Amino acid sequence: MKLKSQINDIIKDAFDKAGIKHEPMSVSEATKPEFGDYQFNGAMALSKKLGKNPREIAQNILDALDLTGVLAKAEIAGPGFINLWLNPLWIATQSQSALDDARLGVGVRENPIKVVVDYSGPNMAKQMHVGHLRSTIIGDTLANLLTFLGDEVIRQNHIGDWGTQFGMLIAYLEMKDEDGSLSLKDLEQFYKDAKAQFDANADFADKAREYVVKIQSGDSHCLKLWQRFIDISLGHCEEVYKKLGVNLTRDDVRAESFYNARLPKVIDALDAKGMLAQSDGAQCVFLEGEEIPVIVQKGDGGYLYATTDLAALWYRAEVLGAKRISYVVDARQSEHFKQVFKVAKEAGFVAEDVTLEHIAFGTMMDKGGKPFKTRDGGTVKLIDLLDEAVVKARATIHDKEAYSQEEIDELAKIIGIGAVKYADLAINRESNYIFNWDKMLSFEGNTSLYMQYAYARIQSIFRKHNAPIEGDIIIGDVLEHRLATMLLRFEDVLERAAVDASPHQITTYLYDLVTLFMRFYEQNPILKEGVELETKMSRLHLADLTAKTIKQGLDILGIKVVDKL
Ligand code: ARG
């Protein structure tokens, strides 16, 4: 349910009734329980416009306010705030219907749009490393979130599979892979070995250069080698996706090479628009107000990263029909995206009304605040990191007797992978992110384990209760009131997180929800003797809706829950 807009509508009605001709600003969630559930702060801003005292305006609004349905109480506070309390009866019926709904009361968009989410995008010449982790996790969450809200999401994995380094790599593959059984377990090492060969062996270097030209001109032998190399590399990435529980498949791959045939058309179209200028033999687009041009074709005819992205933008807008195109890529590429977005709009590759956004994120750092590296200074391979997470997660399972070996394996995976993902999603994505095993695998604080633990704890209440939950939700005290209100905010939170492409708004909400639930549970016993049946049932319902909301929230983040922990 869109809770906030319901309250805004009531305020708007009050404006009309009070004869105030201005658009009311939106209410906000109250920051303290004594301020009610929501607060309206618009009277202060209006006072200048209307030439009236803000408290007087607040009083006019309050007098016209409908307190018979959604709202039960309103009070003027301070210089002219209006504190608003939801009606407990209304909260009760609304949370009951959320509980009866498989979507927990979250609506499906009436006007869904097509959204392309470009994420992960590893380079095939090298092993996937931690730098790709954030793009993969944040991008997958955004895609899940928009899908849940009802948009038509097209996931695009813009893998780097083209460029001069592939000449060297496939020449080396041909040399090493005589019987076609090379598994390329370590791409990083393979790259190093190929490079060493390239530097030391002039014949090999010639061949590598020859192969660059040959793949580009479509030589079938070289293309076959290249295809084999890409298949193996992509296979490694897919292993990581599987471990991570990320929803990317081969069908989502639109590699850089996919756009090759479109690159000359990009140049022609820019030329036809009069947007091209020569600079040092290269074809460039100069943008207004910017000194450095976007180079789209080198002097030797070669194309660049930007050219491919222009072709991709064109394809996504024209062929895929996207109305929002979101690039989940490292913040260091922000200049690149700013430029290609401008060029694409100016050239008409993308219509004006299409939203283009760079969902930038910061760098992953180690505890000491340095870019994340292995002990010997190399890049940390993603697969090793994930395996380590599972090993560490196993150590957090205290009551090992309670599970079979298989259950422990499964549990360790769910906890470990969940911890890595959650820790990444829980910070403002634009900040750099400090990777800290101890913090992410803690049962306390804003961690996935804290959420998973709360979920399992609620399931254990149900196991103990071991009977159907009947009756209705009744809002009997302040904590029940606050918990139910928090649960009804779920859709508002998801909507906001979708607009801002900001998963941490979901984690913050889940953390607040679970913290509130823990307090509620401490003070409002459920199964204890002496609790009246009606109250007990109502509290079981609230616990149920809490657990379902945690599960749905974590599901959007790509994190699983367990019934027992
Ligand atoms: N392969 C690029 C890199 O690793 C990321 C690709 C992002 N997507 C895009 N359309 N440029 O930096």
Side-chain angles (χ1 to χ4, degrees):
M1 158 192 353
K2 293 198 170 70
L3 181 53
K4 217 183 216 176
S5 51
Q6 300 220 20
I7 304 169
N8 284 334
D9 287 348
I10 296 170
I11 301 276
K12 199 169 176 348
D13 285 345
F15 266 54
D16 291 345
K17 262 195 216 135
I20 304 172
K21 299 253 167 334
H22 291 270
E23 263 308 296
M25 58 195 270
S26 169
V27 294
S28 46
E29 282 93 29
T31 48
K32 284 188 184 162
E34 55 268 37
F35 299 160
D37 299 310
Y38 282 84
Q39 249 188 348
F40 180 73
N41 301 340
M44 273 76 74
L46 272 177
S47 92
K48 271 215 184 95
K49 287 184 193 154
L50 301 177
K52 264 195 198 171
N53 168 324
R55 278 190 76 100
E56 199 185 321
I57 298 170
Q59 189 62 50
N60 294 152
I61 299 169
L62 195 138
D63 289 341
L65 208 58
D66 179 2
L67 297 177
T68 60
V70 178
L71 296 176
K73 190 171 106 176
E75 261 173 26
I76 299 177
F81 301 114
I82 306 179
N83 296 342
L84 303 162
W85 280 263
L86 294 169
N87 181 347
L89 286 173
W90 184 82
I91 298 177
T93 40
Q94 296 304 313
S95 39
Q96 190 69 52
S97 59
L99 194 52
D100 294 338
D101 175 17
R103 295 180 55 84
L104 309 178
V106 178
V108 183
R109 288 220 164 124
E110 275 167 29
N111 303 306
I113 56 167
K114 262 196 196 170
V115 189
V116 162
V117 184
D118 177 316
Y119 68 104
S120 197
N123 298 320
M124 295 296 102
K126 294 226 170 144
Q127 202 101 23
M128 222 176 152
H129 59 80
V130 292
H132 293 113
L133 181 68
R134 301 206 67 194
S135 171
T136 306
I137 294 177
I138 298 169
D140 201 52
T141 291
L142 181 61
N144 293 343
L145 173 61
L146 295 177
T147 304
F148 181 68
L149 292 176
D151 279 336
E152 189 183 326
V153 176
I154 307 169
R155 296 165 197 254
Q156 295 279 276
N157 194 356
H158 192 86
I159 64 171
D161 69 340
W162 205 248
T164 49
Q165 69 274 44
F166 287 97
M168 176 182 92
L169 290 166
I170 62 170
Y172 194 62
L173 181 77
E174 187 179 39
M175 191 166 134
K176 285 277 149 190
D177 189 31
E178 275 157 359
D179 60 354
S181 66
L182 198 68
S183 73
L184 275 184
K185 264 263 157 301
D186 192 335
L187 270 172
E188 209 71 26
Q189 194 55 44
F190 186 83
Y191 189 94
K192 276 189 199 144
D193 295 346
K195 181 82 173 65
Q197 190 65 237
F198 185 88
D199 292 338
N201 179 342
D203 287 343
F204 177 81
D206 283 343
K207 189 162 197 182
R209 283 188 209 102
E210 183 193 318
Y211 275 19
V212 174
V213 180
K214 278 191 164 178
I215 335 178
Q216 280 171 351
S217 60
D219 174 87
S220 71
H221 173 67
C222 284
L223 276 182
K224 235 190 225 153
L225 283 170
W226 169 78
Q227 190 59 58
R228 174 154 161 68
F229 185 85
I230 300 301
D231 277 346
I232 302 173
S233 282
L234 201 50
H236 287 301
C237 298
E238 282 166 346
E239 219 180 299
V240 171
Y241 297 152
K242 199 169 158 223
K243 281 206 174 156
L244 271 176
V246 153
N247 296 304
L248 272 176
T249 67
R250 284 250 166 160
D251 291 342
D252 304 317
V253 172
R254 286 289 175 291
E256 288 184 5
S257 64
F258 173 81
Y259 301 101
N260 283 348
R262 294 168 188 267
L263 300 177
K265 292 181 193 149
V266 168
I267 307 296
D268 289 349
L270 292 172
D271 197 17
K273 283 254 166 193
M275 291 172 69
L276 285 187
Q278 289 251 0
S279 175
D280 288 334
Q283 300 283 0
C284 302
V285 179
F286 282 89
L287 287 165
E288 224 185 84
E290 294 201 29
E291 252 164 64
I292 303 165
V294 187
I295 306 174
V296 289
Q297 191 171 26
K298 289 188 280 191
D300 65 4
Y303 301 102
L304 295 101
Y305 186 51
T307 328
T308 309
D309 261 326
L310 287 171
L313 274 162
W314 199 354
Y315 172 80
R316 289 164 183 187
E318 194 179 83
V319 182
L320 299 180
K323 286 281 172 257
R324 175 180 178 182
I325 310 179
S326 306
Y327 290 81
V328 187
V329 185
D330 194 308
R332 284 170 288 196
Q333 294 192 28
S334 66
E335 199 51 35
H336 163 77
F337 285 110
K338 213 171 99 194
Q339 292 188 327
V340 295
F341 291 171
K342 250 192 185 170
V343 175
K345 288 225 162 158
E346 249 180 71
F349 296 157
V350 175
E352 267 316 312
D353 66 344
V354 175
T355 308
L356 301 180
E357 52 186 359
H358 176 205
I359 312 295
F361 54 81
T363 309
M364 197 154 135
M365 306 289 201
D366 64 18
K367 259 196 207 164
K370 298 214 182 66
F372 206 80
K373 292 263 156 58
T374 55
R375 239 168 250 158
D376 56 7
T379 45
V380 178
K381 284 179 214 129
L382 214 39
I383 202 101
D384 294 345
L385 183 95
L386 298 180
D387 289 343
E388 194 174 344
V390 176
V391 171
K392 286 197 180 339
R394 194 179 296 260
T396 67
I397 306 170
H398 296 304
D399 187 11
K400 294 214 172 53
E401 273 82 68
Y403 306 95
S404 72
Q405 196 51 49
E406 271 156 35
E407 282 173 326
I408 291 180
D409 289 346
E410 187 57 23
L411 205 53
K413 272 190 218 156
I414 291 175
I415 296 173
I417 301 297
V420 170
K421 291 174 103 170
Y422 192 96
D424 191 324
L425 295 165
I427 51 145
N428 189 341
R429 66 176 153 76
E430 275 162 288
S431 320
N432 287 342
Y433 154 49
I434 295 174
F435 193 92
N436 181 335
W437 285 119
D438 298 332
K439 224 169 124 186
M440 75 176 71
L441 281 163
S442 166
F443 278 93
E444 269 153 54
N446 189 7
T447 66
S448 55
L449 254 178
Y450 183 59
M451 312 299 148
Q452 287 165 330
Y453 174 69
Y455 180 86
R457 188 151 173 199
I458 295 173
Q459 301 313 309
S460 86
I461 299 173
F462 296 147
R463 280 194 295 274
K464 257 192 225 136
H465 171 62
N466 194 24
I469 308 172
E470 283 148 352
D472 299 319
I473 292 178
I474 308 157
I475 303 299
D477 77 354
V478 175
L479 278 173
E480 286 167 348
H481 182 108
R482 287 182 56 205
L483 179 61
T485 305
M486 178 78 95
L487 289 163
L488 293 179
R489 281 180 47 212
F490 192 41
E491 180 166 357
D492 283 345
V493 171
L494 296 182
E495 277 294 341
R496 193 71 241 159
V499 171
D500 298 342
S502 190
H504 91 276
Q505 294 178 9
I506 303 176
T507 59
T508 303
Y509 168 78
L510 289 177
Y511 181 56
D512 291 344
L513 173 65
V514 168
T515 308
L516 185 59
F517 176 80
M518 293 300 193
R519 274 190 58 202
F520 157 85
Y521 184 53
E522 237 168 65
Q523 294 183 29
N524 301 24
I526 299 181
L527 300 181
K528 223 185 187 165
E529 213 145 320
V531 179
E532 268 185 52
L533 185 67
E534 258 191 351
T535 308
K536 173 170 148 180
M537 288 301 178
S538 168
R539 288 178 185 168
L540 280 168
H541 278 312
L542 283 174
D544 194 13
L545 187 55
T546 303
K548 287 184 166 133
T549 305
I550 297 171
K551 184 171 190 227
Q552 182 60 63
L554 288 180
D555 188 60
I556 288 170
L557 306 178
I559 297 171
K560 290 187 187 146
V561 290
V562 287
D563 286 345
K564 228 168 69 179
L565 194 67

